[in-house]
């Protein structure tokens, strides 16, 4: 696992956008795994800006969001369908068919999850998966206790996650659905490159557990420690609980810039 400590979320977003643009430059039909939440927003903004400047063409990429609330109308502004449309599909000039999505309104949720897995497989798997981290160490919506081998399925959100996400529902915790559909930790781990980002002191504890704690289903983000190409991009406040912080900084300082992440 490579840990890159950056000056600011904007700097981190540039670095991650560089990796995505390099990938899309060599593989125009690249498959991106799309995270939601506040964390990836600066990356999507940076990508949109680069597209506007004509530096990158996303017309052949495919995208697979990580998760969705169960039973939430896709027209609801907090649905991940709406978030991905507003932050990714429209700003990057994508057509709807380029981005799949978990159907939180499906009559048969289990079948929808199995179908999503086969869509990802048919697309050739995810090349680069963007990830945030929940304050309880979740990735996607894989809450503590999620099997590290889990596949796309229905999960129940923790009270902590519903509190954290209430801000997207006008501050009303009760309005946050109790259930969701999420790619499993095993599904996520099959992506060829995992890029987890964390900004702000509120993520410091979860991030330290993810990067330096024991691998455990109690912190699903620790699955990154088992991945052959996992990059963690964090700002200083989120990095403050890392024991080897200075080491990570010195490693990255002496890395040739052309290597990227
Ligand atoms: C949400 C999402 C995750 C996200 C995480 C952190 O509930 N399901 O994909 O990474 O929790 O959210 P944020 O980036 O807003 O802090």
């Amino acid at each position: 696992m490579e840990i890159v400590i950056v000056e600011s979320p904007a700097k981190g977003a540039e670095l991650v956008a560089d990796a995505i643009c390099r990938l899309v430059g060599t593989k125009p039909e690249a498959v991106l795994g799309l995270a939601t939440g506040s964390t990836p927003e600066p990356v999507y903004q940076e990508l949109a800006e680069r597209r506007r400047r004509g530096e990158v063409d996303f017309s052949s990429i495919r995208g697979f969001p990580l998760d969705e609330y169960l039973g939430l109308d896709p027209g609801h502004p907090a649905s991940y369908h709406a978030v991905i449309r507003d932050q990714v599909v429209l700003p990057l000039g994508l057509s709807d068919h380029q981005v799949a999505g978990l159907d939180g309104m499906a009559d048969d949720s289990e079948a929808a999850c199995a179908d999503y897995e086969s869509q990802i497989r048919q697309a050739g798997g995810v090349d680069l998966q963007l990830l945030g981290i929940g304050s309880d160490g979740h990735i996607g919506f894989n809450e503590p206790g999620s099997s590290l081998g889990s596949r796309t399925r229905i999960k129940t959100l923790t009270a902590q996650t519903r509190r954290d996400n209430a801000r997207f529902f006008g501050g009303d915790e009760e309005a946050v659905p109790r259930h969701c559909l999420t790619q499993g930790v095993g599904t996520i781990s099959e992506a060829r490159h995992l890029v987890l980002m964390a900004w702000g002191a509120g993520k410091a504890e979860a991030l330290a557990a993810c990067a330096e704690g024991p691998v455990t289903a109690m912190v699903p983000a620790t699955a990154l420690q088992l991945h052959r190409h996992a990059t963690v991009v964090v700002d200083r406040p989120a990095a403050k609980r890392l024991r080897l912080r200075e080491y990570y900084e010195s490693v990255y300082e002496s890395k040739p810039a052309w290597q990227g992440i």
Side-chain angles (χ1 to χ4, degrees):
M1 181 188 297
E2 178 177 37
I3 298 182
V4 183
I5 301 171
V6 291
E7 287 296 325
S8 63
K11 287 279 176 220
E14 281 177 27
L15 202 63
V16 176
D18 286 346
I20 293 173
C21 291
R22 198 175 306 120
L23 168 67
V24 174
T26 54
K27 184 179 180 185
E29 69 289 359
V31 179
L32 302 181
L34 304 169
T36 43
S38 312
T39 304
E41 281 184 47
V43 174
Y44 298 143
Q45 286 162 6
E46 178 66 23
L47 292 175
E49 186 55 32
R50 292 183 190 199
R51 173 185 172 262
R52 202 186 55 73
R53 296 199 297 257
E55 294 171 12
V56 57
D57 173 14
F58 294 114
S59 60
S60 300
I61 65 160
R62 297 287 311 278
F64 287 91
L66 277 173
D67 44 14
E68 182 57 283
Y69 292 104
L70 186 69
L72 192 66
D73 190 282
H76 190 291
S79 77
Y80 287 164
H81 175 84
V83 171
I84 291 290
R85 182 198 59 216
D86 295 345
Q87 295 184 6
V88 180
V89 175
L90 298 176
L92 301 193
L94 308 182
S95 319
D96 286 335
H97 71 84
Q98 287 179 257
V99 178
L102 276 157
D103 183 359
M105 301 293 278
D107 290 334
D108 186 341
S109 299
E110 284 187 21
C113 290
D115 180 57
Y116 202 57
E117 291 266 341
S118 69
Q119 286 182 51
I120 296 173
R121 258 196 314 277
Q122 277 164 21
V126 171
D127 290 299
L128 187 150
Q129 175 67 58
L130 295 172
L131 294 167
I133 183 169
S135 59
D136 60 3
H138 73 235
I139 50 173
F141 266 140
N142 293 283
E143 298 286 30
S146 292
S147 157
L148 301 184
S150 54
R151 310 304 305 186
T152 305
R153 70 213 183 292
I154 303 171
K155 284 294 288 182
T156 304
L157 298 176
T158 61
Q160 175 70 51
T161 296
R162 292 181 69 227
R163 264 195 302 279
D164 288 348
N165 287 5
R167 68 190 193 282
F168 299 114
F169 292 80
D172 180 6
E173 207 176 304
E174 277 308 304
V176 183
R178 288 175 188 277
H179 299 99
C180 62
L181 305 180
T182 181
Q183 286 188 36
V185 181
T187 317
I188 292 168
S189 299
E190 283 173 6
R192 287 179 270 279
H193 185 190
L194 301 180
V195 180
L196 184 142
M197 296 165 284
W199 320 130
K203 297 293 173 71
E205 202 169 318
L207 202 269
C210 158
E212 296 181 336
V215 174
T216 168
M218 286 307 286
V219 183
T222 57
L224 267 76
Q225 295 180 31
L226 301 171
H227 197 278
R228 57 191 274 185
H229 190 186
T231 310
V232 173
V233 182
V234 281
D235 65 3
R236 289 186 197 289
K240 73 176 182 189
R241 301 283 297 271
L242 292 173
R243 279 191 295 135
L244 297 186
R245 200 175 57 235
E246 287 174 13
Y247 172 67
Y248 306 136
E249 284 177 328
S250 74
V251 169
Y252 192 67
E253 268 165 29
S254 52
K255 184 178 177 180
W258 58 263
Q259 275 188 334
I261 55 172

